[in-house]
Amino acid sequence: MEFNSTIDLLNSDPKAQSYFDTLPANIQQQLLDKYTGAKSVEELRVFGDDLKTSI
């Protein structure tokens, strides 16, 4: 089984989950598929902002 720290972050940090919930579904899926190493809310925001600007 592959480790996904982004999922662990979402499960353990309400602020991360709250931010994640504000993102469109396609960006959420890309975060879970491609950006699996987010270990903090700040990293998750960087990854999410990067995806928003690249779409």
Side-chain angles (χ1 to χ4, degrees):
M1 182 159 93
E2 186 175 273
F3 179 75
N4 185 328
S5 60
T6 299
I7 290 174
D8 291 341
L9 174 65
L10 294 173
N11 287 332
S12 65
D13 188 330
K15 289 181 184 178
Q17 184 65 56
S18 179
Y19 169 73
F20 185 81
D21 290 343
T22 67
L23 298 170
N26 63 324
I27 293 179
Q28 289 179 354
Q29 192 60 53
Q30 287 186 53
L31 282 170
L32 295 176
D33 291 346
K34 298 178 182 176
Y35 292 89
T36 59
K39 294 178 179 66
S40 68
V41 177
E42 293 78 21
E43 283 186 0
L44 189 65
R45 287 182 193 274
V46 168
F47 296 156
D49 291 345
D50 180 51
L51 286 169
K52 284 194 255 183
T53 58
S54 68
I55 293 179

